């Protein structure tokens, strides 16, 4: 898929179901976002959860009740159709994955768009720092950890992280570069021994794909926007809709506009 597509072109191709695959590398230079959709009755609890856990849950936009348009980050877009793939949860159980949610939309739904680490990868690539899952045309590996999030209302759970392996010299530069992107999870939360954060087998991610880790490379772990999905499993709201891991919403906001 052409990485030079514009965000609106990517969204249109999602809308027509011509893109149903993960989005790393698409619309290079534009901010990608995680999606959570919840009924209004539990939306404040989730907003508070994001406020208390800004590292995995940096909020980019919140829709008006019942309106699927994310007006701040992508005017005229439609959260019901403009992602490659969605996950549907009922009472904390994943029941299906679909390519649109037009038939599931409710008048009381509130949509949350949360920053994604795919957004700092353009800056890494511009600095000639390799991004392995893009090189291997795979989804980024993601793992549940033993790090607890701060609870809020009905929401609680453990932190999920994404992993990118790098040699030591590139790892230092990657930490410096990603720290400039707090709305895309910022600097890594851990690097080195994965067992220290509860990851017992780095070759078996909980979400995404396993990737090559070369001898001498250091695994770096960033907070991940899949964290809310773990919280949803524990909170068990009547219904919740998210992106499928790696299948993000692409906004009209340039990555550099979210640097500090």
């Amino acid at each position: 898929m052409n990485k030079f597509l514009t965000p609106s072109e990517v969204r249109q191709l999602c809308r027509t179901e011509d893109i149903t695959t993960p989005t790393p590398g698409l619309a290079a230079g534009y901010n990608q976002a995680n999606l959570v959709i919840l009924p209004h009755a539990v939306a404040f609890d989730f907003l508070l959860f994001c406020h208390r856990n800004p590292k995995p849950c940096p909020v980019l936009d919140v829709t008006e009740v019942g309106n699927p348009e994310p007006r701040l980050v992508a005017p005229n877009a439609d959260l019901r159709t403009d992602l490659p793939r969605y996950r549907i949860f009922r009472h904390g159980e994943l029941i299906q994955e679909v390519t649109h949610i037009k038939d599931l939309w409710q008048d009381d739904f509130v949509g949350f768009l949360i920053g994604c680490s795919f957004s700092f990868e353009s800056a890494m690539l511009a600095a000639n720092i390799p991004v392995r899952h893009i090189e291997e045309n795979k989804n980024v590996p993601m793992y549940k950890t033993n790090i607890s999030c701060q609870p809020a209302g009905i929401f609680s759970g453990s932190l999920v992280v994404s992993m990118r392996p790098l040699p030591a010299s590139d790892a230092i530069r990657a930490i410096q570069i990603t720290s400039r992107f707090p709305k895309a999870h910022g600097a890594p939360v851990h690097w080195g021994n994965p067992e220290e954060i509860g990851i017992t087998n780095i070759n078996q991610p909980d979400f995404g794909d396993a990737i090559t880790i070369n001898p001498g490379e250091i695994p770096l772990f960033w907070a991940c926007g899949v964290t809310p999905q773990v919280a949803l499993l524990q909170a068990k709201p009547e219904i919740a809709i998210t992106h499928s891991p790696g299948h993000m919403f692409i906004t009209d906001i340039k990555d550099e506009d979210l640097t500090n």
Side-chain angles (χ1 to χ4, degrees):
M1 186 61 65
N2 187 351
K3 69 179 181 179
F4 298 110
L5 291 169
T6 67
S8 61
E9 288 171 338
V10 173
R11 295 194 298 265
Q12 181 59 37
L13 288 169
C14 292
R15 192 174 298 185
T16 57
E17 300 185 19
D18 290 300
I19 293 179
T20 59
T21 53
T23 56
L26 289 183
Y30 285 88
N31 196 253
Q32 300 201 23
N34 303 273
L35 174 69
V36 175
I37 296 172
L38 288 164
H40 181 253
V42 296
F44 177 77
D45 280 0
F46 184 73
L47 184 62
L48 185 59
F49 180 80
C50 293
H51 176 73
R52 291 179 176 171
N53 299 279
K55 196 78 169 170
C57 306
V59 176
L60 303 177
D61 199 355
V62 182
T63 67
E64 300 289 341
V65 179
N67 189 339
E69 178 187 3
R71 295 175 182 172
L72 294 182
V73 299
N76 301 314
D78 191 332
L79 294 181
R80 300 172 299 180
T81 58
D82 293 358
L83 286 78
R85 191 169 294 274
Y86 301 80
R87 282 186 159 188
I88 315 302
F89 298 84
R90 290 191 183 274
H91 302 288
E93 292 189 12
L94 174 62
I95 61 167
Q96 64 183 137
E97 290 197 357
V98 296
T99 53
H100 70 82
I101 55 168
K102 290 183 291 187
D103 54 336
L104 294 169
W105 188 260
Q106 298 178 182
D107 290 341
D108 66 338
F109 272 165
V110 178
F112 295 83
L113 289 171
I114 295 169
C116 171
S117 58
F118 291 170
S119 298
F120 59 57
E121 292 177 345
S122 295
M124 290 175 61
L125 292 170
N128 295 316
I129 298 174
V131 180
R132 187 65 41 74
H133 62 272
I134 292 180
E135 291 178 342
E136 298 185 348
N137 195 29
K138 293 181 177 179
N139 198 355
V140 66
M142 293 161 274
Y143 308 83
K144 299 175 185 177
T145 71
N146 58 12
I147 302 170
S148 296
C149 294
Q150 291 292 326
I154 67 170
F155 294 101
S156 62
S158 60
L159 178 70
V160 175
V161 294
S162 61
M163 187 277 292
R164 295 159 185 81
L166 292 168
S169 58
D170 285 338
I172 294 170
R173 294 167 61 220
I175 292 169
Q176 293 171 333
I177 289 169
T178 59
S179 67
R180 297 175 49 236
F181 292 85
K183 287 292 188 179
H185 306 304
V189 296
H190 182 75
W191 52 88
N193 185 0
E195 293 185 358
E196 292 181 2
I197 56 172
I199 299 170
T200 56
N201 189 342
I202 200 168
N203 295 312
Q204 291 186 355
D206 295 297
F207 311 96
D209 301 319
I211 58 174
T212 303
I213 303 175
N214 295 319
E217 289 185 328
I218 301 169
L220 284 79
F221 300 92
W222 280 264
C224 178
V226 175
T227 301
Q229 295 193 21
V230 174
L232 290 171
L233 292 175
Q234 295 189 196
K236 297 180 172 58
E238 179 181 355
I239 186 171
I241 299 172
T242 72
H243 66 290
S244 182
H247 300 67
M248 319 307 292
F249 178 81
I250 299 183
T251 77
D252 291 336
I253 307 300
K254 290 186 176 181
D255 294 334
E256 289 297 323
D257 291 339
L258 295 180
T259 58
N260 58 10

